[in-house]
DNA sequence: TAATGGGTGCACT
DNA sequence: AAGTGCACCCATT
């Protein structure tokens, strides 16, 4: 409702605002925002926060909430430290989710401040896959020039989510040939994958393709965000509520809200499985796909089946009715730490870099490109690192107050202009510059070029290798050219 | 459960059975089937059927059920009379659906006997769009040669749903470029669109693209079918139950079950909106898309929003608990006609060929190709016909017994070999022969060729016309070639 | 609940 | 032929 309103509004003025990133936020007043001043939360150490503005409220930050916030901080740090988009970021100390419905809110705490609105792409009892919410492009965005400016979109974007040119090409390719329709603005490779390990009876969360094909933008007007915030309130997670209040405030006044971008991490990326293939060039068919992480090659054994989720939990983010319940359940206690000890234990008993499906991590590889560049294209000997929190964490103060740190994460960006050396190497169109932590991804650095080259190549290349048997289909000689090579990256 | 079992079973034996169409059915015994003999239902006119085998059962064919069956018969007749796949078939006298959940079961009664398993593609308070259920391809189907033979699929197919070659090409194209993933076996253009007219306070149903990219097969083992049949029982629609019992019986014993195919209806098809464009040839980029009906240009006004569906009706096809309720509600009466009069009135007050969103129909055009061929490519003067029941219907006996007619529709197929003249004209691969009522669709007659030509063309063509503004995208010179033309058929 | 990837029905937006 | 959020599936290893 106000969303569409906002769409129109912002899309009209978008072009005229130099600081477009925060325009939407400033155009729409936020309830509690403005009552806080930046950095008012003074809680540190073990002191419970006695923020004056919160006193009158019914406060109850669960121990769980506190811990979750702490874990969120760690997760955020892990993500920030990541260099290449196609590395896997294993979020290790994570809350002991009792139900899969608890995962999304936790992730939202992490990703909303980064300007990323996540939605569930797929879920079942053993897995939840998150992706960026599809942007709602406006009519204007459809007709925009290739670069600069931007329409209004829900998620990442207050700018076109993709270069319309490239987007259109994608769209066309898709439409020309049947498919479950997807808007061209919905091609972001970013994924967060939560999987439940039966063995460990524990959830694992991995961030994949930590790069975006669209600008990131924190949009407090989003319906999902409002739901999320309500959820926080219903859970009595006042730390988080306050933090997001401040975030809204900052967004409203155009203050920087995003985590500090890492200087220049662009460069050639390559998956370990494809090192035996010629490194992609701009016109290589491997180009667009080699940038994103794909399915691991080997897996362990399997079987299946859980039970109906339907009868289990009601959508947590929608039940405003639970507000009362929650409050009644644990009214005042601000800092009690009953479960905390238990959760703490669980966390500490999992080694820092190894845990859970570390195997998957190794298979997918995380490549340190600083090393990689030293030995350029020299065979399959990439330096493999584990991104999973090396120095951070360590500090797990008994309870809350991690929100301060978490907030700091996106509070003071020491912005460094992104290096474009490599992006121009593979692509000549930098109109879409990912404003994510890792600046430009090659996947998007040259969307149109990549699209065209790889798409046309796919017609032949992929067909060939995915169907090894000779194509003796009567007269339909849809030849797969002799230069076919392998890249079964997708799917 | 038994589905997967069946998959394996039938896919193994598929090739060895000459009468593959019915193999699945004969491999799986059906409960009540076999007790009926073909054509036992002797009810005609106003006589209520006193079929001996039904006497012991709890019989209650609602007046509603009876009427619905009658309407189903009419609908079937309309569909059978349709000649071209890309014509719109307006199903006119249809039940006065009180809820959109009533539509699917009614359509299932019509389409299951044709070997078509429908699923909802999209729905809201004002519209329900049905499509063919995606076939479940087996591993074998993935690696099959281009023609003949077939894996096991849920829906239409006990044969490959599409030429794997073409399917793979589609898949690849899609995968190369992100999209909501769709298996290559899920490309059937067949659609049934139900829309609710606020003005008339009535649902309208239109069959679009009445042709299939896969063989049609009635599969009584399908889970959906079982649900459907349970729904029939729950509603006390014993006429339908009996009819489908017989259908299962016929399928089981390899008796013909499909409606008589229409001799040879293949040929060039074209939408009225594109007559000012050169008719597509095999290598035309317009080719693949011009075959299917697309979104109507103008709609009659439809405002929207009923109310939340969620709280409204529970999935009708799943609620076995309603069995009791229903029976208690209207236990024995076989032929009472309380609502019938009302419904009858409603129907008769709507002219035969015009009704509801006839506008949409006219815009989309229904082309009589017999006429069309007489004046070959001569401009935009196609003969427009209204397929909607011309002679049939007329008879709306106060109640039931239409099941006999409905059954007859698929009982005695006078099969005529499909003409391939035109299909070979545009495509050299006839490995995919739609066994639908209308034989081959051009869309699928030469899948691979179409795919390649149109797709590669799309890269340029579509981009150009969908974004009229000059492409001044900085360095990304993803040129759209000068031969770009228009076909914004999709979207 | 093996682990882990993907397809798809279908209502919400 | 709305696009898509989400869960119920199934597939492969
Ligand atoms: Zn993204
Ligand atoms: Zn079909």
């Amino acid at each position: 409702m106000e969303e569409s309103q906002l769409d129109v509004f912002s899309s009209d003025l978008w072009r005229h605002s130099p600081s477009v990133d925060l325009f939407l936020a400033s155009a729409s007043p936020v309830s509690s925002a403005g009552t806080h001043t930046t950095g008012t939360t003074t809680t540190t150490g073990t002191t419970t926060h006695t923020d004056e503005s919160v006193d009158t409220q019914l406060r109850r930050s669960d121990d769980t909430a506190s811990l979750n916030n702490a874990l969120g901080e760690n997760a955020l740090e892990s993500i920030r430290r990541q260099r290449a988009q196609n590395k896997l970021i294993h979020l290790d100390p994570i809350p002991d989710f009792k139900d899969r419905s608890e995962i999304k809110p936790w992730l939202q705490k992490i990703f909303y401040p980064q300007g990323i609105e996540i939605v569930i792409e797929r879920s079942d009892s053993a897995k939840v896959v998150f992706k960026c919410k599809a942007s709602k492009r406006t009519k204007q965005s459809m007709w925009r020039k290739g670069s600069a400016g931007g329409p209004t979109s829900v998620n990442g974007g207050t700018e076109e989510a993709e270069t319309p040119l490239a987007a259109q090409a994608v769209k066309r390719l898709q439409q020309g040939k049947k498919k479950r329709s997807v808007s061209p603005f919905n091609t972001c490779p970013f994924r967060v994958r939560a999987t439940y390990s039966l063995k460990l009876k524990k959830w694992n969360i991995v961030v994949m393709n930590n790069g975006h094909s669209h600008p990131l933008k924190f949009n407090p007007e989003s319906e999902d965000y409002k739901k999320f915030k309500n959820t926080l309130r219903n859970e009595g997670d006042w730390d988080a509520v306050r933090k997001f209040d401040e975030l809204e405030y900052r967004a409203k006044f155009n203050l920087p809200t995003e985590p500090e971008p890492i200087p220049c991490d662009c460069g050639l990326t390559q998956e370990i499985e494809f090192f035996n293939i010629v490194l992609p060039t701009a016109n290589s068919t491997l180009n667009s796909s080699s940038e994103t992480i794909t399915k691991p090659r080997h897996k362990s054994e399997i079987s299946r089946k859980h039970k109906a989720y339907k009868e289990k939990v009601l959508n947590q983010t929608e039940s405003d009715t639970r507000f009362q319940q929650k409050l009644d359940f644990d009214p005042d206690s601000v800092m009690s730490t009953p479960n905390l000890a238990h959760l703490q234990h669980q966390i500490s008993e999992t080694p820092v870099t190894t845990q859970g499906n570390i195997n998957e991590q190794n298979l997918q590889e995380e490549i340190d490109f600083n090393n990689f560049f030293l030995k350029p294209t020299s065979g399959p000997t990439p330096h493999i690192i584990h991104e999973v929190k090396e120095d951070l964490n360590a500090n797990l103060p008994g309870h809350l107050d991690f929100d301060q740190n978490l907030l700091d994460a996106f509070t003071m960006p020491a912005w460094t202009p992104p290096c474009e050396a490599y992006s121009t190497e593979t692509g000549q169109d930098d109109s879409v510059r990912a404003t994510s932590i890792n600046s430009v991804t090659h996947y998007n650095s040259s969307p149109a070029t990549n699209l065209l080259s790889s798409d046309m190549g796919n017609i032949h290349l992929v067909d060939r290798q995915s169907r090894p048997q000779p194509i003796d289909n009567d007269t339909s000689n849809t030849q797969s050219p002799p230069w076919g090579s392998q890249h079964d990256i997708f799917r």
Side-chain angles (χ1 to χ4, degrees), chain A:
Chain A
M1 195 166 286
E2 65 263 270
E3 201 170 70
S4 60
Q5 192 184 21
L6 234 160
D7 261 12
V8 176
F9 181 43
S10 63
S11 61
D12 283 338
L13 298 177
W14 169 256
R15 259 165 237 75
H16 312 304
S17 171
S19 57
V20 286
D21 271 7
L22 294 170
F23 185 82
L24 265 184
S26 60
S28 53
V30 177
S31 57
S32 59
T35 61
H36 293 298
T37 53
T38 317
T40 51
T41 60
T42 56
T43 61
T44 53
T46 58
T47 305
T48 72
H49 43 223
T50 55
D51 194 332
E52 62 293 336
S53 67
V54 188
D55 280 339
T56 57
Q57 304 182 19
L58 240 181
R59 300 175 58 201
R60 66 168 293 288
S61 347
D62 264 348
D63 330 303
T64 302
S66 301
L67 176 64
N68 287 358
N69 288 342
L71 298 177
E73 176 200 359
N74 289 338
L76 187 78
E77 180 63 19
S78 293
I79 295 167
R80 286 172 58 223
R81 295 175 56 83
Q82 190 210 34
R83 303 275 153 172
Q85 311 91 325
N86 61 349
K87 277 191 293 188
L88 294 177
I89 311 176
H90 190 124
L91 270 35
D92 196 5
I94 60 177
D96 183 24
F97 302 114
K98 296 309 181 193
D99 188 89
R100 72 179 194 249
S101 63
E102 301 173 5
I103 300 175
K104 183 176 174 184
W106 186 74
L107 287 175
Q108 284 174 313
K109 284 196 218 175
I110 297 173
F111 289 108
Y112 262 128
Q114 299 185 51
I116 300 170
E117 183 151 38
I118 58 172
V119 295
I120 295 177
E121 177 180 32
R122 176 183 293 107
S123 78
D124 56 30
S125 56
K127 128 177 63 67
V128 186
V129 180
F130 299 89
K131 56 180 282 192
C132 284
K133 182 177 179 63
S135 64
K136 290 200 181 84
R137 66 269 90 163
T138 61
K139 200 167 302 181
Q140 302 202 1
S141 69
M142 299 298 224
W143 305 101
R144 295 298 271 332
K145 317 280 195 75
S147 59
T152 299
S153 57
V154 163
N155 172 19
T158 316
E159 187 172 340
E160 69 255 272
E162 307 250 357
T163 313
L165 180 68
Q168 285 293 346
V170 174
K171 182 91 177 186
R172 282 323 174 173
L173 269 176
Q174 295 173 358
Q175 291 180 338
K177 274 319 111 199
K178 289 284 182 301
K179 87 264 91 249
R180 190 161 189 164
S181 57
V182 188
S183 93
F185 302 87
N186 195 9
T187 60
C188 182
F190 174 80
R191 292 291 185 282
V192 181
R193 179 177 293 263
T195 55
Y196 185 79
S197 167
L198 286 178
K199 285 226 161 62
L200 289 68
K201 297 188 184 308
K202 181 185 179 302
W203 284 92
N204 287 305
I205 300 184
V206 174
V207 177
M208 306 170 67
N209 303 322
N210 188 29
H212 298 263
S213 60
H214 54 85
L216 305 183
K217 170 66 183 64
F218 171 66
N219 177 15
E221 296 305 310
S222 128
E223 287 302 313
D224 282 347
Y225 173 72
K226 290 172 182 169
K227 276 190 202 168
F228 160 72
K229 193 123 176 265
N230 276 335
T231 302
L232 290 182
R233 277 190 268 260
N234 293 346
E235 291 174 349
D237 188 355
W238 302 114
D239 286 341
V241 169
R242 198 160 35 78
K243 173 179 55 189
F244 279 98
D245 280 343
E246 179 162 346
L247 183 60
E248 293 169 18
Y249 170 82
R250 298 185 70 84
K252 177 176 180 176
F253 291 102
N254 243 346
L255 299 174
T257 56
E258 299 183 19
E260 49 198 14
I262 293 175
C264 172
D265 296 324
C266 53
L268 288 178
T269 62
Q270 189 72 1
E271 287 184 290
I272 184 66
E273 296 124 349
F274 296 101
F275 274 130
N276 57 341
I277 298 178
V278 178
L279 282 179
T281 61
N283 59 359
S284 165
T285 58
L286 289 176
N287 199 8
S288 62
S289 50
S290 63
E291 306 293 339
T292 57
I293 285 181
T294 60
K295 184 194 305 188
R297 284 300 167 262
H298 341 304
K299 285 291 180 337
S300 34
E301 61 296 312
I302 318 175
S303 97
R304 212 159 302 116
K305 283 323 151 198
H306 242 221
K307 258 320 54 102
Y309 179 73
K310 205 181 279 177
E311 304 133 17
K312 249 183 156 186
V313 201
L314 294 144
N315 190 345
Q316 178 173 347
T317 56
E318 289 184 349
S319 58
D320 287 14
T321 62
R322 288 152 66 133
F323 186 79
Q324 310 290 18
Q325 297 178 353
K326 265 292 193 176
L327 289 180
D328 293 343
F329 196 72
D330 186 6
D332 56 335
S333 75
V334 181
M335 286 304 129
S336 61
T337 52
N339 304 351
L340 220 175
H342 165 262
L343 292 174
Q344 268 279 57
H345 174 62
Q346 163 123 11
I347 291 170
S348 55
E349 86 179 324
T350 67
V352 175
T353 53
T354 27
Q355 200 273 341
N357 52 358
I358 187 66
N359 290 336
E360 172 188 347
Q361 229 183 137
N362 286 337
L363 288 172
Q364 290 273 151
E365 284 345 327
E366 307 177 359
I367 305 173
D368 182 350
F369 288 99
N370 292 326
N371 284 4
F372 184 68
F373 288 143
L374 293 180
K375 21 182 174 176
T377 325
S378 58
T381 58
H383 180 108
I384 300 174
I385 66 171
H386 293 291
E387 195 71 23
V388 191
K389 41 197 271 5
E390 299 162 1
D391 48 357
L392 55 124
N393 119 324
N395 56 349
L396 270 185
H399 40 270
L400 46 76
D401 285 339
F402 307 103
D403 60 310
Q404 178 59 32
N405 295 332
L406 185 47
L407 181 60
D408 289 344
F410 54 82
T411 271
M412 25 187 117
W415 193 73
T416 314
C419 165
E420 310 210 348
Y422 284 96
S423 69
T424 50
E425 167 187 337
T426 53
Q428 51 279 66
D429 177 9
D430 56 356
S431 61
V432 174
R433 172 146 64 237
T435 58
S436 76
I437 332 176
N438 292 317
S439 67
V440 180
T441 68
H442 286 287
Y443 184 88
N444 305 290
S445 61
S446 172
T449 304
N450 285 350
L451 293 187
L452 290 176
S453 60
S454 61
D455 281 341
M456 294 197 296
N458 274 342
I459 296 173
H460 315 291
L461 298 181
V462 180
D463 231 13
R464 189 180 186 78
Q465 63 96 223
S466 67
R467 302 172 66 257
Q469 300 183 357
I471 300 170
D472 59 351
N473 198 352
D474 11 307
T475 50
S476 79
N477 48 3
T478 313
Q479 51 332 71
S480 54
W483 64 79
S485 70
Q486 66 286 59
H487 76 121
D488 195 26
I489 307 180
F490 286 99
R491 202 149 329 277

